[in-house]
Each structure stands twice: as C-alpha cells, then as structure tokens.
Amino acid sequence: MKRFFNLHSFIALCSIMGIAAIFIINRLDPLNTVSRDGVALDTVISVTASAPKSISELNGILNDAFALIEELDDRFSMYNENSDVSLMSANAGGEWVPVSRPTYEALAAAVHAAKLTDGAYDPTIGPVSIAWRDRLSENSLPSEEEIDAALLRVSFDALELSSSPPMAKLDMPGGVVDLGGIAKGYVSSSVRNLLKERGVTSALIDLGGNVVVIGGRPRNGSGTRTPWRIGVQHPSKPRGTPICVVSLSEGSVITAGDYERFWEVDGGRYTHIYNPATGFPVDGRLKSVTIISDDPTQGDALSTAFIVMGEPQALELLRIMPEVGAIFISETDDEEYRITATGDLKGAVETTPGGPHIAFHDTW
Amino acid sequence: MTGKKYDWLLYSILAASFALSCALVFATRPKDGGLTFEAVRGGTVIERRRAAELTDGVALDLSSGAMTNIVASDPTGIRMVLANCPGGDCLRARPMKNAGDMIVCIPHKLIMRIVSSSVGAIDVMSY
C-alpha cells in the first residue's frame, strides 16, 4: 500500500483532477444570449447581451437598455423641441435651464473635451451645422456672410453648468447646443453601465457604428471567450467593408469619418463634420479617425476633434493621453490609403488581406 | 508489484480522461455557422434563415399590416424588391451578400442583415 502513494501516482492523480477541472471550467458559465435591434439616435442600434441568466431575465434587461436609449435620445435631440438641449438653445442668452442629470453629465464631458482639444470639438457648433444643413438640403451652399454670422454664435466658453441641482446656460444669444458629436458615446457608456450593473458578463453595443464591448465574445455557450473583432470601415469601399480590424475584449471603438454622412452639391462633396474655427466642413487627406479607449463619451468627441485637428496635432495631444489608442486612415497622393496607429495598439489591430500596411507610432 | 499495478491503472485512467476531454471539447467546439439572413422589426427577429437557402429567385414577404416589404434574391445578392415606405430608400440600397451587409427601412423600422457566426469573422463594424 505504501507504494500506491508514490510520486508517480500523485502526479497522475493531479493530472486527472487538472484535466477534469479544465473541462468543468470550459462547461461552466452556461451563458444565454439575447440580441435586439432598433432605430434611435437617428441610426440603427443593436445590443447583444450574454449572462448566466434566463432568456426572460435578459430580455427584461434589454427592455430597460432600450428604454434608456430612447429616454436619452429624447433629452439630447436637437430635433425634439422639448429636449433639454432644445430648451437650452431656446433660452440661449437668457436664464439658467434645469436639465436632467444625464444631460448635465454629457454637457460636462462635452465642455471638457472642447477644452482638451482647444475647441476642435465644440458642442456649440449648432449655428454652423444648421446653416450648412439648411442650404445643402436645398442643393445650394451657405454664403460666407451666413457662415461668418453663424461662427459668431459658436463658443464653448459660453456654456455654463451648475451641478446641484443640474442646470445649464448658454450665454450666447442665438446660440445652439449640438451634442451630435458626443451623444452616442454617452448613451453607449450609459447602456454599458446598466448592463454591467444587471450582471451581464458579455455584450456588444452598437449605436450606428459606435461600438462598446464587454467581457469578450462567448464561444457558442461555452465558458471560453475570445476578443470581439471590430472592423473599421474602408473610406471608399461599400459600407461594411473593413480596412483594418481591431480585436478587443473590453472597451470602446468609436470612428468619425468624412465619408459617413455627406451631401453632394454642384460636384462638391460636403461632410457633416465642421471645423469650429472656419465654419466649413473638413476637407483634408485624413478620412477617418478611430478611438479605442475605455471611455466612449470621450472617444466620440476625440474622434470628431482629431478629424478637425489633423493627424500630427492629434498625435501630439495623445502624448498626454496614454489610455487612449487611435487609428488614422489617410488618403495618399496616389489615391491609396495609409494607416497610422498608436503604438499601444500593436497586436490589437491588423490590416485586412491586401490592405495597407499599418505604421505604429509610439506616442509615449 | 501491487503498487506498480495501481500506477498502471492510474495512468490508464489518466489517458482515458485525457481522450474523453479532448473528444468532448472537440464535440462542443464553436462551429462555423456560415452566413445567416436576419430580419428584425421592433426588436424582434421576424425571419432568420441560412443565406444559402435564399437562392436566385426566392422571395420573402416581411410585410406587417399596412407596411409592405418584400425581399428577393438574385445573382447580385438579397435586395428589397417591393416596399411602400415613403422615400423608398431601402429599394435603392445595395444588395446584401457578405457578412455585415445591411438594408434598413427606417419608416417601417425594419432591419435586414447578413450575419456570420464563423470564428474569426468580424462581429461588428465601426463607421
């Protein structure tokens, strides 16, 4: 009997237990998954959530997530005359306006991003975007006088906030708050918080291409996870064609591209991203910026700001933001594309077969 | 001698366990599900089938009440062929053929898309 407990036997027993443990772990965490799509925030939205919960529990969580999205959409929309943002614009130059806590938080994040980017992102760009939208929808262009008049009403310095109770004031007669460059980021962050608080262990939140992921991609009900694979849109190929792919288990991938929404008038192409310094749509070689970070609200604002600032200035700013990764897609002289990514994304971003080489740039 | 016998017994159990684990892990591995066509209205999947089943000439009626939407497949992919929505943007949308392709009829809140469950496929696009 003494030899039964020798070293070989002990190793063999441990091995059996180890193999059993590996298999049990692989089969534990039996996840259920539910997905839902809808239309909100002027785009298609989709949420997929997985957790060791019943399907009905998960559906209840998605009900709440979609209710939250609709509520925030109502508060942030420029096109809903009763939204917090519209009421602020209606009272521009006048009194303080009581706002909801989410609106206060989104405005505070917007002002912070505006300061950080020295106004390349500006939540008071509304007069400019309205001037362009109104003219372009009539197949014409705004005059320089109209643009200059609109620019006089753009200044994030005029946006004042008070925390308790949450109130806001746009101290600029004729000013218009436009949270379009940050709203989807804030909403996706709020949905992520809700899903995590309710015990969701894996999720994919897609608000019109603004992507937030939680906990890796479950592999067909098993306990193992792989990173989510997020394609970055090719600037000139059909929608859904990636130019590169980001692998990410947790965080956000937010892209701003000049190809996403645009108007064509008299042979000219005018994107929906405006330079707050000039009042004109951006029109450079930089076609898109993708921000990979843990903060989708900031990522949304930065992606817009970086398109305005251009790659060199954006990379300079990223030197003080080691928690933020970025991918820049630029057009080259020979109408090809160049991809630059921050060094922290090595191993997380790959080009597509036959796609451009990725140059990694160490920012810190 | 008795101890060595038990050693061999344990080694046999170990080998059998290893083989069983490999077999079970292999049997339950993620499978390549290929491409799937999905149609979603109001958050509910109203149609889901393998894209390969939608061969040339096959049509699907996704209408609901007064909202008419009919998709059909042709050599270019799956496209909207009949819709009574204002504007008719979905009728002009590019046919869906590859994973990630999508056609949306916003007035009818109808989303159609091609999805892939293949390991290594792209889960979502960032625009």
Side-chain angles (χ1 to χ4, degrees), chain A residues 1 3-4 6 8-13 15-16 19-20 23 26-27 35-39 42-46 204-206 208-211 213 217 219-220 222 224 226-234 238-245 253-257 259-260 290 352, chain B residues 1-7 9-15 17-25 28-33 38-45 48 94 98-111 113 116-127:
Chain A
M1 281 305 286
R3 288 200 56 194
F4 177 74
N6 66 14
H8 288 144
S9 305
F10 180 73
I11 291 170
L13 270 171
S15 301
I16 291 170
I19 290 168
F23 182 73
N26 194 48
R27 301 305 304 161
S35 291
R36 192 173 302 177
D37 302 279
V39 178
D42 202 23
T43 189
V44 176
I45 58 176
S46 172
L204 175 63
I205 303 161
D206 174 15
N210 278 31
V211 178
V213 293
R217 181 190 205 262
R219 300 182 67 183
N220 284 9
S222 75
T224 54
T226 54
W228 297 97
R229 287 172 58 76
I230 301 133
V232 175
Q233 175 65 35
H234 193 294
R239 193 176 171 89
T241 308
I243 192 168
C244 61
V245 180
V253 179
I254 313 282
T255 299
Y259 50 79
E260 179 56 7
T290 299
T352 48
Chain B
M1 210 46 203
T2 309
K4 279 197 174 175
K5 247 186 201 172
Y6 278 118
D7 283 354
L9 183 61
L10 280 170
Y11 288 139
S12 301
I13 293 170
L14 173 65
S17 302
F18 182 72
L20 182 65
S21 295
C22 288
L24 288 170
V25 168
T28 58
R29 76 195 189 284
K31 295 175 178 64
D32 183 347
E38 276 187 356
V40 179
R41 192 194 301 277
T44 304
V45 176
R48 177 184 285 138
R94 190 171 63 95
N98 302 310
D101 288 352
M102 183 184 283
I103 296 175
V104 182
C105 180
I106 288 182
H108 290 176
K109 294 192 180 292
L110 177 65
I111 300 163
R113 65 188 177 193
S116 170
S117 56
S118 303
V119 174
I122 289 170
D123 297 302
V124 67
M125 288 294 298
S126 182
Y127 301 106

